[in-house]
Amino acid sequence: MYWYTKNLSKKLVLFTGLALGLHACSSPEVEKKSEQKAQAYFDIPSFIQQEIDSLKQANPTVNKTVTKDKEEETKDLKIRDWDNEFSSFKAIDLNKPAYAGFIELDTVDSVIEYNFTNPDLDLACVRIAFNEEGKVKMLSVDKHVKNTLYQTSEFLVYEKGNFYIVEKNQKVRVMGENYYKVQGNLKADKTL
């Protein structure tokens, strides 16, 4: 019995050493390659942050219409918190690990369309249109979340220097339906 436990101990030490060696050899390189692959798609949060910074500096007047169900109100105003105003846009990140392997890419003319093949994901489609210089001129997003308690559809559009829309339909099992829309038209009192 002594020889059996002695051989078992040697095998255990050998196996542990081998496992640690393989882990140490592959970890940094594999992590770098995974990060590089994950960053393969357009970086929407960085783009939106640049737009937020530009809008903060330009401080344009916005003709803003807010609709809640059937009530609507429109005002001309200066946006005090662009980070909050564009938070729905900034939350869209094509490089989230949850989306890996579920994005189909289609390019027509100067528009890139990302379609999501897994219906359990929150994103359905993201479209990015570019101008002649290769800069983003428009971004649109279709989001859908569905579970046993509620169903939400969200549509986002941002046209650089012109307007933005955040439109949301929500059906909650016990509470019913809600509709919400914000549209901001940037006035040309300052250029972006």
Side-chain angles (χ1 to χ4, degrees):
M1 193 63 146
Y2 170 73
W3 63 269
Y4 178 75
T5 55
K6 187 176 179 184
N7 283 340
L8 183 64
S9 296
K10 284 182 181 177
K11 288 179 183 177
L12 185 61
V13 168
L14 183 62
F15 178 76
T16 305
L18 184 60
L20 289 173
L22 288 173
H23 176 72
C25 290
S26 64
S27 290
E29 189 87 4
V30 169
E31 286 176 18
K32 272 187 178 177
K33 287 181 181 177
S34 296
E35 285 176 20
Q36 289 171 350
K37 287 181 184 177
Q39 293 296 323
Y41 301 113
F42 185 80
D43 188 353
I44 294 173
S46 292
F47 167 71
I48 293 298
Q49 187 59 55
Q50 290 171 358
E51 293 305 295
I52 289 169
D53 294 343
S54 177
L55 290 164
K56 284 178 183 177
Q57 187 174 19
N59 195 23
T61 300
V62 176
N63 179 262
K64 185 174 177 178
T65 302
V66 177
T67 306
K68 171 80 170 88
D69 296 322
K70 294 181 181 182
E71 295 180 31
E72 185 175 286
E73 184 177 354
T74 302
K75 289 184 180 179
D76 283 347
L77 50 93
K78 299 279 188 180
I79 303 297
R80 294 181 192 188
D81 188 354
W82 282 105
D83 291 291
N84 185 49
E85 194 76 5
F86 276 34
S87 62
S88 293
F89 291 94
K90 198 169 178 183
I92 306 301
D93 186 356
L94 300 172
N95 296 302
K96 284 182 182 174
Y99 302 141
F102 297 110
I103 299 176
E104 287 183 351
L105 192 63
D106 189 20
T107 305
V108 177
D109 295 328
S110 59
V111 177
I112 297 175
E113 184 172 281
Y114 301 90
N115 289 297
F116 295 79
T117 59
N118 183 344
D120 295 332
L121 296 174
D122 61 339
L123 290 178
C125 183
V126 174
R127 287 175 205 85
I128 304 171
F130 296 88
N131 64 17
E132 298 80 30
E133 292 88 37
K135 294 185 179 180
V136 175
K137 68 177 182 180
M138 183 179 280
L139 167 70
S140 71
V141 179
D142 288 319
K143 289 179 70 174
H144 303 284
V145 177
K146 186 177 183 179
N147 62 37
T148 55
L149 297 175
Y150 67 91
Q151 180 177 340
T152 302
S153 296
E154 193 170 3
F155 181 63
L156 310 171
V157 180
Y158 172 63
E159 184 177 305
K160 185 176 176 75
N162 197 13
F163 72 92
Y164 60 95
I165 296 171
V166 176
E167 186 173 17
K168 191 180 227 178
N169 281 298
Q170 188 174 46
K171 295 178 185 176
V172 181
R173 192 171 247 197
V174 178
M175 301 176 74
E177 293 185 36
N178 290 308
Y179 174 78
Y180 177 77
K181 181 180 177 183
V182 173
Q183 180 165 346
N185 296 309
L186 305 173
K187 293 189 149 196
D189 53 358
K190 292 191 179 186
T191 56
L192 295 179

